[in-house]
Amino acid sequence: MSRYVPSSELVERAARGEVPAIGRLISRAEAGMPEARGALATIYRRAGRAHVIGLTGVPGSGKSTLVAALTARLRTQGLKVGIVAVDPSSPYSGGAILGDRIRMSDLVNDPGVYIRSMATRGAMGGLARATLDAVDILDLGGFDTIIIETVGVGQDEVEIAKASHTTVVVSAPGLGDEIQAIKAGMLEIADIHVVSKCDRSDANRTLVDIKQMLTLGAATSAKPEWQTPVVGVSSYTGEGFDALTRAIDRHRDVAFGTASGSRRQLAIARFRLEKTAENLLIERFAKAAVTRAPALAERLRRRDADPYSLANELLAASFERGSAHERDHHRPPHFAEDHW
């Protein structure tokens, strides 16, 4: 067994772009290892330069294929691109199913591209719990653009707009995406609307329908400095990708150089704060439940107390455990370095 390298020692290696260090830090963030939190705090303070693009859409809209084609186009501009592809969890292992990597196989040998698949593991909203930590690590590692591709489960993925500077919503002809987008709130969160597979004969109808819906919603838009474009692309022919990259470049200027962009960055920070607190609460509650829930459940079964008072006891125990847990967070775990 090789020596466990503390996370704090991996930070500078990641900052030099060393892929093994980047991978280990992301793995530790994904595993929720308390020992890594000090390093993640340091990384957060040093990050913040990359343009984060969130890409979402219903299943079958061609998100992964579009990400691969867009990344190839960004690479021609000399940009380093990090991709965090959030996959559904395997029902057997709990890990990512890795469907996205299959579609991005042409990119894996490019040293200017880093692809990481992450399992949702029960997290709602289309993001994995460590997605934003992974973005920070890739940002520190020198990646200019970071694309987050959400899991694609349908109508609960609006969180991506709270985690990215630019949100791209992908639709496709023949899937009924227009109605789906309205139901999910995805029409409103889009900074750029993309209609994929526009080489198909019915693509123009989808383009027209989405433009009409955007026109109807323009009066109530909260984006006065930006008119949401609708861009048709084809990963098969390459059509539309010049227009898409121009739209992304224009929105980057809005995101980093306007008052509305500053407001959005504040909203992203608030979302990050609340999501981190939520994850810490879930972690502490789960650990307290292992030891305290059986006895409390027995009292509830005997009706010695009511559910609300016992639930408050369980919550109080989770905070007690949290304090002790934080005192031990620098203690390295007993794992082989090959895994972490």
Side-chain angles (χ1 to χ4, degrees):
M1 184 182 297
S2 56
R3 181 181 75 89
Y4 180 88
V5 179
S7 298
S8 58
E9 294 184 17
L10 295 174
V11 172
E12 290 305 324
R13 299 184 192 181
R16 294 194 294 268
E18 295 183 16
V19 171
I22 290 171
R24 287 176 181 175
L25 285 168
I26 293 176
S27 293
R28 294 176 187 183
E30 195 171 11
M33 293 171 62
E35 181 274 338
R37 285 179 186 155
L40 293 175
T42 299
I43 290 168
Y44 181 83
R45 294 186 185 98
R46 295 175 59 176
R49 294 181 296 273
H51 181 203
V52 181
I53 300 171
L55 194 142
T56 190
V58 296
S61 56
K63 295 188 300 296
S64 297
T65 304
L66 188 146
V67 168
L70 175 60
T71 299
R73 189 61 58 99
L74 293 173
R75 289 292 294 136
T76 65
Q77 300 176 5
L79 299 174
K80 290 183 66 177
V81 182
I83 301 168
V84 181
V86 184
D87 279 327
S89 299
S90 165
Y92 300 103
S93 68
I97 293 177
L98 301 180
D100 296 299
R101 287 206 182 190
I102 296 171
R103 298 176 184 88
M104 300 179 195
S105 57
D106 291 344
L107 302 173
V108 295
N109 293 322
D110 185 341
V113 177
Y114 184 96
I115 305 170
R116 178 69 177 228
S117 291
M118 306 186 84
T120 54
R121 296 179 181 173
M124 302 301 291
L127 302 178
R129 287 192 176 95
T131 299
L132 301 183
D133 288 325
V135 168
D136 290 340
I137 294 163
L138 291 169
D139 189 334
L140 177 73
F143 290 87
D144 305 292
T145 301
I146 300 168
I147 300 173
I148 306 172
E149 180 192 344
T150 68
V151 67
V153 295
Q155 297 185 3
D156 62 348
E157 300 201 15
V158 295
E159 277 192 353
I160 188 62
K162 303 175 184 177
S164 59
H165 302 120
T166 300
T167 304
V168 178
V169 173
V170 186
S171 305
L175 294 179
D177 290 287
E178 305 87 351
I179 298 173
Q180 292 254 20
I182 293 172
K183 288 180 179 178
M186 293 167 72
L187 191 71
E188 290 84 0
I189 70 169
D191 298 305
I192 300 169
H193 240 300
V194 171
V195 176
S196 64
K197 308 176 185 180
C198 71
D199 50 291
R200 288 178 42 166
S201 59
D202 53 347
N204 191 60
R205 173 63 186 271
T206 304
L207 285 163
V208 171
D209 286 347
I210 293 175
K211 287 178 180 178
Q212 288 177 342
M213 286 189 292
L214 288 172
T215 300
L216 290 173
T220 58
S221 174
K223 304 172 183 177
E225 294 162 325
W226 179 254
Q227 294 294 318
T228 303
V230 182
V231 182
V233 303
S234 170
S235 299
Y236 178 70
T237 65
E239 178 185 351
F241 279 93
D242 286 338
L244 176 57
T245 53
R246 286 196 299 269
I248 289 171
D249 287 342
R250 291 199 310 273
H251 192 265
R252 186 189 190 285
D253 293 338
V254 171
F256 287 94
T258 66
S260 63
S262 296
R263 290 192 296 271
R264 180 159 179 170
Q265 290 181 42
L266 178 61
I268 291 170
R270 178 169 178 171
F271 171 74
R272 182 72 176 275
L273 175 65
E274 293 176 353
K275 202 69 177 174
T276 303
E278 177 185 310
N279 290 339
L280 288 174
L281 285 171
I282 291 171
E283 177 185 303
R284 292 177 180 182
F285 177 80
K287 291 185 177 182
V290 170
T291 57
R292 298 294 295 275
L296 294 174
E298 177 58 24
R299 289 172 60 192
L300 189 63
R301 184 191 69 81
R302 296 196 307 263
R303 297 186 183 272
D304 293 339
D306 65 275
Y308 297 99
S309 60
L310 293 177
N312 277 322
E313 284 190 42
L314 186 54
L315 287 173
S318 70
F319 282 102
E320 291 169 6
R321 288 188 58 88
S323 298
H325 182 65
E326 289 302 317
R327 286 195 298 270
D328 294 336
H329 82 281
H330 288 297
R331 189 174 300 165
H334 301 290
F335 291 121
E337 180 62 33
D338 287 344
H339 297 292
W340 304 100

